[in-house]
Amino acid sequence: MSDRNYLPWWRLDNAAKIFPSTSSAHDSKVFRFFCELEEAVVPAALQSALDRTMERFPIYRCVLRRGWFWYYLEDSPLPAAARPEELPPCFPIYPSLRRSLLFRVLYYRRRISLEIYHVLSDGAGALDFLRDLVYEYLRIRHPEAGFPAGSVLAPGVSERQKEADSFQKYYEKPARRFGLSPSAYQICGERLPKNQLAILEGRIPTRELLACARSRGVTLTELLTAVLLRAIYDGMRVRDRKKTVAVTIPVNLRNYFPSFSSRNFFAIFHVSYDFSKNPDCLEAVLASVKKDFQEKLTAEQLKAQMNGLCALEHNFPARIAPLPLKDIVLRCANRMAAHAATASFSNVGRVSMPEGAEKYIRQFGVLTCAGCLQACAVSFENSFVITFASPFRSRETERVFFQELSRLGLDITLTTNMKDEVEQNAVL
């Protein structure tokens, strides 16, 4: 019998199950974290760091396989290689004509980038991998710094904890099911060719942004969500302004339910605003956004949502349905879910690194493949980086967003891959 039959394998977690069925050239379900150093990347040192990091994340050695009823992850002997960045950002990892690992490590000048297919992990799990990788790289490149050996993660975290499916750990049969969210306004316009993204990255001093939010009695994420809602509204045609604008916000469930999993463990909630029935000033939008966050960001609400989604997986007819039928159903469900959102905003939060590493690092950043307008943010030291990724040629929403922040007194440095829109390192 072939050794193949003895390879370790893992079921996909609840959040991951939809991604293989709905991936496409226009929406690859790939996201990227990057770390920009203060010096050029040395490829050989990065490869050595990757080899060491892979020893602590065995599930990253897996490939995606098709079963009769579900997709699953299977251990693989394929080597992980650090490569120069040559493809467009968030280029599809799956489906592919050849089997491959579900992530890439890329380098370009001073940047180390980690691109991950969402089947494998969410933002928090991917960031743990990148932090470990960067730390190993700095240990190799700067032995004089005396960085101790080991992981940047919490001490004592086992491989089993990293590989755990936390959705199953916390699942309880729900008392009720959640229905579909109502349809929201959809941004339209000329799209870029497939596999291309228009990227606009804004860098803001973290302390300034925090002070701006606190002076208005809101959190940083609430402030940016409100500004995004208003920026979208500014670009709407008059006849569309009766439609609700909705932004989806991913939530790291590890902040509510203890977990060290490196896999997916997140939920999504909607923040919406009807500009046809409410004032369009920032103060009114902020008040509504704050109320949504307070009501929806509770352990009870998130647990109910998680149970509702996991219940579909435990439904007997769904379990025995063949995979081709599941693919069709999940694609339809994905299209309906897309109509409930105008855009998405994800604030990963603050990145921490071991003491002494900060002097070698300029900033961290994150972006994701976009079927619609996507904004992602992350902070490190006093650098808050928010990155827009869009499938549209027009940058009007992003332009209004950063102009609004500039009017609030914030100093913003912009970088883009669309040179005809904003010059590199232009200061707003």
Side-chain angles (χ1 to χ4, degrees), residues 256-367:
Y256 298 85
F257 308 99
S259 170
F260 294 102
S261 177
S262 295
R263 302 174 70 185
N264 289 292
F265 192 43
F266 70 96
I268 290 176
F269 74 99
H270 289 71
V271 176
S272 59
Y273 194 81
D274 189 341
F275 286 92
S276 67
K277 298 178 181 177
N278 299 285
D280 62 2
C281 61
L282 180 60
E283 291 73 18
V285 181
L286 271 175
S288 176
V289 168
K290 183 176 181 178
K291 183 170 181 268
D292 266 358
F293 271 71
Q294 289 175 340
E295 291 177 352
K296 297 175 181 178
L297 268 186
T298 66
E300 181 181 353
Q301 286 290 320
L302 294 171
K303 182 67 179 292
Q305 181 191 10
M306 180 171 58
N307 287 338
L309 293 174
C310 289
L312 298 174
E313 173 186 346
H314 290 267
N315 180 275
F316 181 72
R319 286 163 55 192
I320 65 172
L323 185 57
L325 178 58
K326 285 189 176 83
D327 282 338
I328 295 171
V329 172
L330 289 173
R331 289 186 195 114
C332 292
N334 185 65
R335 282 195 292 269
M336 288 188 288
H339 284 294
T342 308
S344 176
F345 173 52
S346 174
N347 182 10
V348 177
R350 187 176 71 88
V351 178
S352 62
M353 290 294 286
E355 185 177 356
E358 68 280 353
K359 68 181 181 180
Y360 301 103
I361 299 171
R362 183 170 182 262
Q363 66 182 35
F364 280 84
V366 57
L367 63 99

Side-chain angles (χ1 to χ4, degrees), residues 8-29:
W9 65 278
W10 300 266
R11 292 183 176 90
L12 297 192
D13 58 72
N14 179 264
K17 281 183 165 62
I18 195 171
F19 297 129
S21 305
T22 58
S23 303
S24 68
H26 293 285
D27 189 3
S28 64
K29 309 300 183 186

Side-chain angles (χ1 to χ4, degrees), residues 402-416:
F402 285 115
Q403 282 184 341
E404 180 74 18
L405 291 181
S406 183
R407 280 194 287 268
L408 295 177
L410 298 170
D411 181 30
I412 307 168
T413 303
L414 297 179
T415 305
T416 182

Side-chain angles (χ1 to χ4, degrees), residues 5 26 30 64 83 224 232 236 318 339 384 403:
N5 295 319
H26 293 285
V30 173
L64 186 64
R83 305 182 187 279
L224 294 175
I232 294 169
M236 293 171 68
H339 284 294
F384 185 91
Q403 282 184 341

